[in-house]
C-alpha cells in the first residue's frame, strides 16, 4: 500500500513538472521593461506616488534638545521638541523645569522659521529636525 502511494506521488510530481515546462514553452516571458507590466502594477505605482505626496504634510521631522535651563540645576530636565512636516511647518514645544515649577510653551513654525523669538535650544531643535 505504501509503495503504491509513493508511486502515485512520484507520478503526480512528474506530471506537474511536465505541465510547468509545457506552459513555459507555450507562453514565453514578457519583456522586462515597464511597458510589459500588467495594468494593476501601474495602478499600485500611482497609489504609492499619491501616498508619498500626502505624507509630505505629516509631522515626521522631529528632534529633541535636552538642556539645563538654570545653572544651579542638573539632569537636563528642560527640553525643546520640534515637530515638523517636510516643508518645515509645525510646532516647537518647550518645557522649562525649575526647582518648584515647570512651564511649557508652544510656538508655531512655518517654513523652518517662527514669528516669535526662538531660544537657542528651540533653534537647535528645528535645525536637527531639518532633513
Amino acid at each position: 500500500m505504501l509503495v503504491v502511494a509513493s508511486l502515485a506521488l512520484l507520478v503526480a510530481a512528474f506530471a506537474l513538472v511536465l505541465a510547468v515546462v509545457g506552459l513555459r514553452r507555450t507562453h514565453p516571458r514578457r519583456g522586462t521593461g515597464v511597458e510589459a507590466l500588467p495594468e494593476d502594477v501601474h495602478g499600485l505605482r500611482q497609489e504609492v506616488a499619491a501616498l508619498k505626496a500626502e505624507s509630505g504634510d505629516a509631522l515626521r521631522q522631529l528632534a529633541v534638545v535636552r538642556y539645563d535651563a538654570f545653572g544651579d540645576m542638573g539632569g537636563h530636565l528642560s527640553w525643546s521638541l520640534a515637530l515638523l512636516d517636510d516643508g518645515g511647518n509645525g510646532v516647537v514645544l518647550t518645557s522649562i523645569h525649575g526647582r518648584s515649577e515647570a512651564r511649557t510653551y508652544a510656538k508655531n513654525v512655518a517654513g523652518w522659521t517662527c514669528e516669535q523669538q526662538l531660544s537657542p535650544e528651540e533653534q537647535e531643535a528645528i535645525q536637527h529636525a531639518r532633513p
Side-chain angles (χ1 to χ4, degrees):
M1 184 80 164
L2 183 61
V3 173
V4 174
S6 297
L7 283 175
L9 185 59
L10 185 62
V11 169
F14 184 73
L16 181 61
V17 168
L18 287 178
V20 169
V21 169
L23 280 176
R24 285 190 180 168
R25 287 185 183 159
T26 59
H27 299 293
R29 287 187 174 196
R30 296 181 181 170
T32 58
V34 175
E35 308 80 38
L37 296 175
E39 286 298 319
D40 59 341
V41 173
H42 289 294
L44 289 173
R45 285 188 177 174
Q46 290 175 345
E47 186 67 27
V48 167
L51 289 171
K52 283 182 180 179
E54 287 178 20
S55 71
D57 295 333
L59 298 178
R60 60 187 190 153
Q61 307 299 333
L62 63 101
V64 177
V65 175
R66 297 180 61 96
Y67 55 96
D68 294 324
F70 305 105
D72 63 338
M73 288 187 57
H76 292 8
L77 297 177
S78 298
W79 50 265
S80 293
L81 167 67
L83 291 167
L84 306 168
D85 66 8
D86 290 346
N89 305 309
V91 64
V92 174
L93 303 172
T94 298
S95 181
I96 308 243
H97 288 263
R99 290 204 181 275
S100 61
E101 65 182 6
R103 294 183 183 228
T104 304
Y105 303 92
K107 298 177 183 176
N108 291 330
V109 177
W112 306 104
T113 61
C114 183
E115 291 181 8
Q116 299 167 318
Q117 185 175 356
L118 295 171
S119 71
E121 294 83 10
E122 291 168 331
Q123 292 173 349
E124 184 181 352
I126 290 172
Q127 289 306 315
H128 284 306
R130 194 172 205 155

Short mmCIF file of all heavy atoms in Angstrom, two decimals, residues 87-116:
data_model
loop_
_atom_site.label_atom_id
_atom_site.label_comp_id
_atom_site.label_asym_id
_atom_site.label_seq_id
_atom_site.Cartn_x
_atom_site.Cartn_y
_atom_site.Cartn_z
N GLY A 87 8.02 70.41 4.79
CA GLY A 87 8.19 71.81 4.41
C GLY A 87 8.61 72.70 5.56
O GLY A 87 8.70 73.92 5.40
N GLY A 88 8.83 72.14 6.73
CA GLY A 88 9.23 72.93 7.89
C GLY A 88 8.08 73.61 8.57
O GLY A 88 8.25 74.62 9.26
N ASN A 89 6.88 73.07 8.45
CA ASN A 89 5.69 73.63 9.10
C ASN A 89 5.30 72.72 10.25
O ASN A 89 5.28 71.50 10.11
CB ASN A 89 4.53 73.72 8.10
CG ASN A 89 4.91 74.51 6.87
OD1 ASN A 89 5.41 75.62 6.97
ND2 ASN A 89 4.69 73.94 5.71
N GLY A 90 4.99 73.33 11.39
CA GLY A 90 4.60 72.54 12.55
C GLY A 90 4.68 73.36 13.82
O GLY A 90 4.25 74.51 13.86
N VAL A 91 5.28 72.76 14.84
CA VAL A 91 5.30 73.39 16.16
C VAL A 91 6.59 73.04 16.88
O VAL A 91 7.19 71.98 16.63
CB VAL A 91 4.07 72.94 16.99
CG1 VAL A 91 4.10 71.46 17.28
CG2 VAL A 91 3.91 73.74 18.25
N VAL A 92 7.02 73.96 17.75
CA VAL A 92 8.11 73.69 18.67
C VAL A 92 7.53 73.77 20.07
O VAL A 92 6.92 74.77 20.45
CB VAL A 92 9.26 74.72 18.53
CG1 VAL A 92 10.31 74.49 19.60
CG2 VAL A 92 9.90 74.62 17.17
N LEU A 93 7.68 72.71 20.83
CA LEU A 93 7.23 72.66 22.21
C LEU A 93 8.44 72.74 23.12
O LEU A 93 9.44 72.07 22.87
CB LEU A 93 6.47 71.36 22.48
CG LEU A 93 5.26 71.07 21.60
CD1 LEU A 93 4.73 69.67 21.87
CD2 LEU A 93 4.18 72.11 21.84
N THR A 94 8.33 73.56 24.17
CA THR A 94 9.44 73.73 25.10
C THR A 94 8.91 73.61 26.52
O THR A 94 7.87 74.18 26.84
CB THR A 94 10.12 75.10 24.92
OG1 THR A 94 10.65 75.15 23.60
CG2 THR A 94 11.23 75.31 25.92
N SER A 95 9.63 72.88 27.34
CA SER A 95 9.29 72.76 28.75
C SER A 95 10.52 73.14 29.56
O SER A 95 11.58 72.53 29.41
CB SER A 95 8.85 71.33 29.08
OG SER A 95 8.52 71.22 30.43
N ILE A 96 10.37 74.18 30.39
CA ILE A 96 11.46 74.66 31.22
C ILE A 96 11.17 74.21 32.65
O ILE A 96 10.16 74.59 33.23
CB ILE A 96 11.57 76.19 31.16
CG1 ILE A 96 11.62 76.63 29.72
CG2 ILE A 96 12.69 76.69 32.04
CD1 ILE A 96 12.80 77.30 29.24
N HIS A 97 12.08 73.43 33.22
CA HIS A 97 11.90 72.89 34.56
C HIS A 97 12.78 73.66 35.54
O HIS A 97 13.99 73.78 35.36
CB HIS A 97 12.26 71.40 34.61
CG HIS A 97 11.25 70.56 33.92
ND1 HIS A 97 10.24 69.92 34.59
CD2 HIS A 97 11.08 70.28 32.61
CE1 HIS A 97 9.49 69.27 33.72
NE2 HIS A 97 9.99 69.47 32.52
N GLY A 98 12.13 74.17 36.58
CA GLY A 98 12.84 74.82 37.67
C GLY A 98 12.72 73.98 38.93
O GLY A 98 12.18 72.87 38.92
N ARG A 99 13.18 74.53 40.03
CA ARG A 99 13.11 73.78 41.30
C ARG A 99 11.68 73.57 41.77
O ARG A 99 11.35 72.52 42.30
CB ARG A 99 13.90 74.51 42.37
CG ARG A 99 15.39 74.46 42.14
CD ARG A 99 16.13 74.64 43.46
NE ARG A 99 17.56 74.61 43.25
CZ ARG A 99 18.27 73.51 43.20
NH1 ARG A 99 17.69 72.34 43.32
NH2 ARG A 99 19.57 73.56 43.00
N SER A 100 10.83 74.58 41.62
CA SER A 100 9.49 74.49 42.18
C SER A 100 8.38 74.46 41.13
O SER A 100 7.21 74.26 41.48
CB SER A 100 9.24 75.65 43.15
OG SER A 100 9.35 76.87 42.44
N GLU A 101 8.71 74.64 39.86
CA GLU A 101 7.67 74.65 38.84
C GLU A 101 8.26 74.30 37.47
O GLU A 101 9.47 74.33 37.28
CB GLU A 101 6.99 76.01 38.77
CG GLU A 101 7.92 77.13 38.32
CD GLU A 101 7.23 78.49 38.31
OE1 GLU A 101 6.08 78.58 38.74
OE2 GLU A 101 7.87 79.44 37.85
N ALA A 102 7.36 74.01 36.56
CA ALA A 102 7.73 73.77 35.16
C ALA A 102 6.77 74.56 34.29
O ALA A 102 5.58 74.62 34.55
CB ALA A 102 7.65 72.30 34.83
N ARG A 103 7.31 75.19 33.27
CA ARG A 103 6.49 75.96 32.32
C ARG A 103 6.65 75.36 30.93
O ARG A 103 7.75 74.94 30.55
CB ARG A 103 6.92 77.43 32.32
CG ARG A 103 6.64 78.09 33.63
CD ARG A 103 7.01 79.54 33.58
NE ARG A 103 6.79 80.13 34.88
CZ ARG A 103 6.15 81.25 35.07
NH1 ARG A 103 5.68 81.93 34.06
NH2 ARG A 103 5.99 81.72 36.28
N THR A 104 5.55 75.34 30.20
CA THR A 104 5.56 74.76 28.87
C THR A 104 5.11 75.81 27.87
O THR A 104 4.15 76.54 28.11
CB THR A 104 4.62 73.53 28.81
OG1 THR A 104 5.03 72.61 29.82
CG2 THR A 104 4.69 72.85 27.46
N TYR A 105 5.78 75.86 26.73
CA TYR A 105 5.48 76.83 25.69
C TYR A 105 5.33 76.11 24.36
O TYR A 105 5.98 75.10 24.11
CB TYR A 105 6.63 77.85 25.56
CG TYR A 105 6.95 78.56 26.84
CD1 TYR A 105 7.92 78.07 27.70
CD2 TYR A 105 6.28 79.73 27.19
CE1 TYR A 105 8.22 78.72 28.88
CE2 TYR A 105 6.58 80.40 28.38
CZ TYR A 105 7.55 79.88 29.22
OH TYR A 105 7.85 80.53 30.38
N ALA A 106 4.48 76.67 23.49
CA ALA A 106 4.31 76.15 22.13
C ALA A 106 4.42 77.32 21.16
O ALA A 106 3.82 78.38 21.39
CB ALA A 106 2.95 75.48 21.98
N LYS A 107 5.19 77.12 20.10
CA LYS A 107 5.38 78.16 19.09
C LYS A 107 5.18 77.55 17.71
O LYS A 107 5.71 76.48 17.41
CB LYS A 107 6.79 78.77 19.20
CG LYS A 107 7.03 79.46 20.53
CD LYS A 107 8.45 79.98 20.63
CE LYS A 107 8.69 80.61 22.01
NZ LYS A 107 10.09 81.05 22.16
N ASN A 108 4.39 78.25 16.87
CA ASN A 108 4.15 77.80 15.51
C ASN A 108 5.38 78.03 14.65
O ASN A 108 6.04 79.06 14.77
CB ASN A 108 2.96 78.53 14.90
CG ASN A 108 1.65 78.14 15.53
OD1 ASN A 108 1.50 77.02 15.98
ND2 ASN A 108 0.71 79.06 15.55
N VAL A 109 5.65 77.09 13.77
CA VAL A 109 6.76 77.20 12.83
C VAL A 109 6.19 77.06 11.43
O VAL A 109 5.37 76.18 11.16
CB VAL A 109 7.82 76.09 13.10
CG1 VAL A 109 8.94 76.17 12.08
CG2 VAL A 109 8.35 76.20 14.50
N ALA A 110 6.61 77.96 10.53
CA ALA A 110 6.19 77.91 9.12
C ALA A 110 7.42 78.13 8.25
O ALA A 110 8.11 79.14 8.39
CB ALA A 110 5.14 78.97 8.84
N GLY A 111 7.70 77.18 7.39
CA GLY A 111 8.85 77.30 6.51
C GLY A 111 10.17 77.36 7.25
O GLY A 111 11.05 78.13 6.88
N TRP A 112 10.30 76.59 8.31
CA TRP A 112 11.51 76.48 9.13
C TRP A 112 11.81 77.73 9.95
O TRP A 112 12.87 77.84 10.53
CB TRP A 112 12.74 76.10 8.27
CG TRP A 112 12.53 74.88 7.46
CD1 TRP A 112 12.28 74.83 6.12
CD2 TRP A 112 12.52 73.53 7.92
NE1 TRP A 112 12.12 73.53 5.73
CE2 TRP A 112 12.27 72.71 6.80
CE3 TRP A 112 12.70 72.94 9.17
CZ2 TRP A 112 12.19 71.32 6.90
CZ3 TRP A 112 12.63 71.55 9.25
CH2 TRP A 112 12.37 70.76 8.12
N THR A 113 10.89 78.68 9.98
CA THR A 113 11.08 79.89 10.79
C THR A 113 9.87 80.13 11.67
O THR A 113 8.80 79.55 11.46
CB THR A 113 11.31 81.13 9.90
OG1 THR A 113 10.15 81.33 9.08
CG2 THR A 113 12.54 80.98 9.03
N CYS A 114 10.04 81.01 12.65
CA CYS A 114 8.97 81.30 13.60
C CYS A 114 8.84 82.81 13.74
O CYS A 114 9.84 83.54 13.76
CB CYS A 114 9.31 80.66 14.95
SG CYS A 114 8.04 80.88 16.20
N GLU A 115 7.60 83.31 13.84
CA GLU A 115 7.36 84.74 14.03
C GLU A 115 7.79 85.18 15.43
O GLU A 115 8.22 86.30 15.62
CB GLU A 115 5.89 85.08 13.80
CG GLU A 115 5.47 84.95 12.35
CD GLU A 115 4.01 85.33 12.15
OE1 GLU A 115 3.36 85.82 13.10
OE2 GLU A 115 3.51 85.12 11.03
N GLN A 116 7.67 84.29 16.39
CA GLN A 116 8.08 84.61 17.76
C GLN A 116 9.58 84.36 17.90
O GLN A 116 10.17 83.59 17.15
CB GLN A 116 7.31 83.74 18.76
CG GLN A 116 5.81 83.96 18.70
CD GLN A 116 5.07 82.89 19.46
OE1 GLN A 116 5.40 81.72 19.37
NE2 GLN A 116 4.06 83.30 20.22
#
